[in-house]
Amino acid sequence: MDPAKFSRKLWSARKQLILMLAPLLLLPLLFVVPSKEGKCLYVVLLMAVYWCTEALPLAVTAMLPVCLFPTMGILPSKKVCPQYFLETNFLFLSGLVMASAIEEWGLHRRIALKVLKIVGVKPAWLILGMMITSSFLSMWLSNTATTAMMLPIANAILESLFGNLETLKENCKLKSDPEGDTQVKMHVLPCEKQMLTTENNRPDWTDRSEQKNLEEVRREAEYQMKVWKGFLICIPYAASIGGTATLTGTAPNLILVGQLKSYFPECDLINFGSWFVFAFPLMLLFLILGWIWIAFLYGGLNTRLCISKHDAREAAEAKARAVIDEDYKKLGPIKFAEGSIAFFFIIFAVLLFTRDPKFVTGWSIFFPKGYVSDAVTGVIIISILFFFPSQRPSLRWWFDSRASNTPYVPLLSWRKAQECVPWNIILLLGGGFAMAKGCEESGLAVWIGNHLQPLAQVPSAVAVILITAFIACFTEFASNTATIIIFLPVIAEL
């Protein structure tokens, strides 16, 4: 068989091959490493291979401890299964449910348009506005949910600013034609697409004010394409940056807290408030640096930020500003449901922050020590969403015989929550906690720690730099959640 065709067949069947070969190639571990530690290391490395290659869906790999730990004599089932719904999972679930309620009533759209109205429509300022909105939402909601909610808004704004994306791509490919036989699609103003055609090999310019040579059209299209890319790129970057500021912002933060409680039960230094005080200033720094870099590469970071120039771009920006204003007006006044969601969202954040912020006394002192956690706070707030009415209650309804007797609609239905909550992420969290429990109970964590003793002599600052650089590189080809699950037990022992 042709080697090229055979290699293509291997590539197309790579996942099946990894599924079959990985368990066989790791078998020697069961004989080289002491009994229980070797079995646990076998499972951990098998899961690491499946996670990094995604030979199995991440959530399915996360459930392997349920079947492998008990059958291999590493951990009984009654100790493995509870790890999949620890209090940390409930805290994460509360953030996901809150995100679905915000999306249900369009509060995220109102926030985004309001921020864009404030920062203006120059490309660099637009990027900053979108990054501020995305990072703020991602502080409380998952990065994935934030990005999914913001991208449709970004696309609508870009189309109002630059017109159709396909037309823009075609204009980027334009080249000067010495014969004069050309066809140009131009976006002079947003939502006003013009077609300039040539007939009989001679350009027919009907309006001298609209004349542009092909090179100018191509350069302008390339500029607009760069802004388009930057505007879309900034959203996932800002969501990732914003997710670092709070515990609920991203799954790895919650895995840290869950495993910290497993390895160091008496340690109560990290909670929502103390993490926020540590991480929020860093998040602001990274957000500013990220904006400067993205705006420099894609967003027209130049004197036009502060100086108005009366040119074609200024006219387009004025039109885009009008579109944003119009979209915001279409939202109308804040509805009762939107106001209610905003109120519970603020209460959610305030209660989480003030429970036990460490630097001041929190409200948790009113309860027995250790009884109330961030998960309790989150579940209380989201439970209210399932029965709080989405329409303003009225006493007049009780006395009006002609009023309709339709049942009230709560702020959030369970059907909507089921559709929007990514349950696979919760299973992934549980798989991480189950793996950590297996490493601890089997003695694998101690075994690894003993073999890492030489690294303990390295100065702390150097060790932090090395570990950070290695894990940052590792997450380039593996998910953040899978990476932290794999390496946190090792680092904890070190």
Side-chain angles (χ1 to χ4, degrees), residues 27 58 65-66 73 77 85 92 107 135 141 146 183 185 239 273 282 325 352 357 397 438 441 452 476:
L27 270 179
L58 296 179
V66 176
S77 177
F85 243 101
F92 190 57
L107 181 61
S135 61
L141 316 175
T146 299
Q183 186 178 51
K185 295 180 182 178
L282 292 174
D325 290 341
L352 286 175
W397 179 83
E441 294 278 338
L452 292 175
E476 292 299 315

Side-chain angles (χ1 to χ4, degrees), residues 222-259:
E222 287 176 350
Y223 167 78
Q224 293 175 353
M225 199 65 167
K226 282 179 64 177
V227 174
W228 196 301
K229 290 177 183 177
F231 203 57
L232 295 183
I233 287 171
C234 79
I235 294 172
Y237 268 86
S240 296
I241 293 169
T244 64
T246 61
L247 285 181
T248 56
T250 186
N253 298 354
L254 292 165
I255 292 171
L256 166 67
V257 175
Q259 295 201 12

Side-chain angles (χ1 to χ4, degrees), residues 189-266:
L189 288 177
C191 302
E192 296 176 7
K193 302 176 181 63
Q194 298 183 357
M195 182 75 77
L196 304 179
T197 60
T198 62
E199 297 176 2
N200 301 324
N201 294 334
R202 285 175 172 258
D204 180 20
W205 303 107
T206 58
D207 188 347
R208 283 292 179 185
S209 65
E210 294 179 357
Q211 287 187 20
K212 281 188 177 224
N213 61 46
L214 292 180
E215 186 63 24
E216 288 175 343
V217 172
R218 186 180 61 78
R219 280 202 302 264
E220 184 65 19
E222 287 176 350
Y223 167 78
Q224 293 175 353
M225 199 65 167
K226 282 179 64 177
V227 174
W228 196 301
K229 290 177 183 177
F231 203 57
L232 295 183
I233 287 171
C234 79
I235 294 172
Y237 268 86
S240 296
I241 293 169
T244 64
T246 61
L247 285 181
T248 56
T250 186
N253 298 354
L254 292 165
I255 292 171
L256 166 67
V257 175
Q259 295 201 12
L260 193 69
K261 290 177 180 177
S262 175
Y263 284 103
F264 311 103
E266 301 303 318

